[in-house]
Amino acid sequence: MKTNVNHDLANITAARTISGAADVKYIVTPNAMPASQEGAPYLGRTRVAGSCSQDELAEDMVKGGCLMNKEEIIRVWNGLGAYLLARMPEAPRTFDLGFMRAWPVIGGTFPSSDAEFDPERNELYVAVAPSAEIRDALDGGTPTSANPATDLPSIGNVKQVGANDPNTIRSGEPFWILGRNLTIGNGDEHAELKLPGDGGTVEVALEAQTGDDGSQRIVGTLAHPVDACEGAVLTLWTHGLSPESSLLPVKSQKLTVLAGDEPVPMAQTSDGKCKIMSMDDEGSTTDFLYGSAWNVNGIGIYGDRAAPGGEWEIARCSVSVDGDTPARGTYHDIELSLVASRGTESETLTITLPTFIVE
């Protein structure tokens, strides 16, 4: 294996001359610890864009001039990890690797000087410390605040509904789009997911979801299934807090897309260009009140005389009970008909309403 000590030293020397740390972002958040809140009401926390994988780090090292290739670098790392795993229990020393040190430490307290190690109270584990140079790499630099200074919308996280993994979604399942000043409601808001490489883009159906506490989330669903991938980016076009402002494109961080099932539209045109993915009446997907403003969400849905060329528009909709206009009462499993038209073409889309109420 070829190495070049002078080249590596030159890289280290060059790295030491880098200063500023302007690419490091931080946010200021309230201190959640009651014991120290009075003296320190707010704390700073760095905000990282994500993790650098083993492959990415090795590739960056090769691009930076390392004379080993990616596979050799990873082999050395894995070999080092296997050695420490085997030797740390047998030879409990401090392993000094130059750029970091690893050694065994005992956690917890002892009630007296002659007390025995108690697994209920104490733990034995490995501590790792970087070299002084790495530890102080950002010393003297000035990070950039990531706290919102304006009312501009931003996406902080995109995750599968009910899951905890950040910036991870599953194809075919709804996901939350979380952030600041994100709104939908004008009717022209839309979103798309750009797949990595030459994978193209996928339309995203949007729906506003309001919780019991009044908080609101935007729920998205991919228009069609995609293969599992890493590095996809979601863009949401929103007016933010000002309905009169122009649409603003807001991008997410890079997302991981897990494989999943194809979302099933409630109704769609024969060519699949117009799809109704969900419908609700003030958040309810079961009870629909006659005369109320219902929310219809999906792909390629445009109002009367609002569709671009070649797209379908919903010209009219109607509800009937046995062919007649329903009288006052509560009805179940009633058919809603929506007429989609495009030039001289027209198709009727039907959706079953679980409960239809006429007051």
Side-chain angles (χ1 to χ4, degrees):
M1 183 172 61
K2 299 172 65 177
T3 59
N4 187 324
V5 175
N6 290 332
H7 182 275
D8 292 340
L9 289 175
N11 279 348
I12 293 174
T13 301
R16 285 173 174 164
T17 64
I18 298 174
S19 62
D23 287 339
V24 177
K25 307 293 188 208
Y26 72 93
I27 59 175
V28 178
T29 60
N31 183 359
M33 303 301 292
S36 59
Q37 281 178 346
E38 183 175 351
Y42 289 89
L43 299 175
R45 186 174 74 242
T46 57
R47 170 179 288 181
V48 295
S51 300
C52 182
S53 70
Q54 187 183 70
D55 284 350
E56 290 174 322
L57 183 56
E59 290 170 358
D60 285 345
M61 290 179 64
V62 173
K63 292 176 183 178
C66 180
L67 299 183
M68 293 188 294
N69 62 32
K70 171 186 168 182
E71 289 72 21
E72 289 173 326
I73 294 172
I74 293 177
R75 191 178 304 119
V76 170
W77 286 341
N78 292 339
L80 172 61
Y83 176 82
L84 291 179
L85 178 62
R87 297 293 291 165
M88 182 65 72
E90 298 175 358
R93 298 170 291 170
T94 295
F95 292 87
D96 193 340
L97 307 176
F99 64 91
M100 59 160 278
R101 292 181 299 117
W103 70 98
V105 298
I106 291 179
T109 61
F110 289 78
S112 64
S113 60
D114 60 351
E116 298 291 331
F117 181 95
D118 184 352
E120 296 293 327
R121 180 189 62 228
N122 307 114
E123 58 181 336
L124 177 64
Y125 61 94
V126 176
V128 176
S131 67
E133 288 84 358
I134 295 178
R135 182 195 64 207
D136 299 333
L138 301 177
D139 186 40
T142 303
T144 301
S145 173
N147 282 81
T150 68
D151 288 335
L152 291 177
S154 64
I155 296 175
N157 194 4
V158 180
K159 65 178 185 177
Q160 187 180 346
V161 172
N164 294 321
D165 294 334
N167 293 311
T168 301
I169 63 175
R170 185 179 296 277
S171 177
E173 297 187 15
F175 51 84
W176 286 322
I177 305 172
L178 309 174
R180 292 179 58 86
N181 305 324
L182 301 176
T183 59
I184 59 174
N186 274 27
D188 57 351
E189 297 89 352
H190 56 285
E192 67 179 22
L193 184 74
K194 186 178 188 305
L195 301 174
D198 297 326
T201 59
V202 181
E203 286 188 78
V204 176
L206 300 176
E207 177 185 354
Q209 182 185 76
T210 303
D212 294 337
D213 59 355
S215 62
Q216 188 177 75
R217 294 186 177 99
I218 296 177
V219 179
T221 307
L222 298 181
H224 60 76
V226 299
D227 294 332
C229 62
E230 294 185 355
V233 175
L234 181 138
T235 302
L236 167 69
W237 281 266
T238 174
H239 294 278
L241 297 182
S242 175
E244 293 77 23
S245 68
S246 59
L247 283 171
L248 300 172
V250 186
K251 294 184 180 295
S252 71
Q253 299 179 33
K254 290 184 177 181
L255 308 178
T256 297
V257 181
L258 306 177
D261 300 325
E262 180 179 1
V264 179
M266 299 178 69
Q268 62 179 330
T269 53
S270 57
D271 60 3
K273 292 194 67 176
C274 176
K275 299 180 180 181
I276 299 176
M277 307 302 296
S278 65
M279 190 171 70
D280 69 271
D281 183 353
E282 296 186 353
S284 175
T285 58
T286 57
D287 298 344
F288 292 84
L289 178 65
Y290 176 73
S292 178
W294 301 345
N295 299 310
V296 180
N297 303 286
I299 304 297
I301 298 177
Y302 297 93
D304 190 16
R305 293 185 294 278
E311 299 292 338
W312 295 90
E313 63 183 28
I314 304 299
R316 62 184 182 276
C317 65
S318 61
V319 175
S320 63
V321 177
D322 297 329
D324 297 321
T325 301
R328 180 178 298 178
T330 299
Y331 305 86
H332 299 285
D333 299 327
I334 298 301
E335 190 174 88
L336 170 69
S337 299
L338 301 97
V339 177
S341 62
R342 181 176 60 182
T344 58
E345 301 175 81
S346 67
E347 296 184 11
T348 299
L349 310 181
T350 58
I351 296 175
T352 299
L353 304 179
T355 302
F356 180 61
I357 305 169
V358 180
E359 295 182 341

